[in-house]
Amino acid sequence: MRLDLRDVRSPSHAVERAFPASALGSDEAFTVAAPVALTLDVRKDGDKYSLLGRLSTTVRRECCRCLEPFDVPTTVDIDVRYLPHRVNTGEGEYEIADEDLSIAFYRDDEIDLGGLVREQLHLAAPMKPLCEDGCRGLCPVCGANRNREACACDTAWRDPRFEALRSFRRTTGDEGPARKV
Ligand SMILES: [Zn+2]
Ligand SMILES: [Zn+2]
């Protein structure tokens, strides 16, 4: 899963790779569920390289409402510049803002394509993945998946101001002896 930069001899170098899903492993955010196809045009400019292209695969995510896993066919356009690692640690030759996500570093004449794929899938990940827009989530009372079953729990919204009044009644009212003040 490495790109040997010594193989990049022309200004524009085509790369096509396929990785098995197992090569990418899983992550707290997602699991790669299908082989990854990676197509790149590698452009060399001195010791800097631009990688342009796309990757496609299927990613398994967990729905943020119902917690069920679901598969998302995913295609990500890639546009990343790689600089030699030393310029990041040297005399401040380049000032690179942390938030500039299109800059990466290579060392030992190699680019870690697996790291590139993982990073790109992270950037493409939604903050709140949903199995479907209308996912009804889990019942907050019994935990049933409301996409699959209708439970009989009372989940009607209660005005919190009345909730405060109710608990006041519970502590002072007829459900037990009044508290001594
Ligand atoms: Zn869901
Ligand atoms: Zn319920």
Side-chain angles (χ1 to χ4, degrees), residues 3-4 7-15 40-44:
L3 174 65
D4 189 334
D7 293 341
V8 181
R9 294 199 189 87
S10 56
S12 176
H13 175 84
V15 172
L40 292 172
D41 179 19
V42 181
R43 294 181 191 165
K44 179 175 162 64

Side-chain angles (χ1 to χ4, degrees), residues 62-68 70 129-132 135-137 145 147:
E62 186 178 84
C63 175
C64 71
R65 280 191 204 150
C66 70
L67 311 181
E68 289 290 319
F70 64 104
L130 282 178
C131 62
E132 53 183 326
C135 174
R136 297 155 87 168
N145 183 337
N147 299 312

Side-chain angles (χ1 to χ4, degrees), residues 19-26 31-36 57-58:
F19 306 123
S22 57
L24 275 303
S26 59
T31 302
V32 176
V36 178
T57 184
T58 297

Side-chain angles (χ1 to χ4, degrees), residues 59-122:
V59 174
R60 184 161 299 154
R61 301 185 190 279
E62 186 178 84
C63 175
C64 71
R65 280 191 204 150
C66 70
L67 311 181
E68 289 290 319
F70 64 104
D71 287 354
V72 194
T74 303
T75 297
V76 185
D77 287 325
I78 296 170
D79 182 358
V80 182
R81 259 150 300 285
Y82 277 84
L83 308 180
H85 190 261
R86 59 180 162 76
V87 303
N88 192 32
T89 53
E91 281 103 63
E93 216 178 319
Y94 295 98
E95 281 293 323
I96 292 156
D98 281 344
E99 61 268 27
D100 191 346
L101 297 167
S102 64
I103 300 277
F105 298 94
Y106 71 89
R107 58 170 83 208
D108 303 328
D109 289 322
E110 280 185 340
I111 288 177
D112 172 14
L113 295 176
L116 170 69
V117 169
R118 270 189 290 271
E119 179 74 20
Q120 296 293 313
L121 290 175
H122 263 290

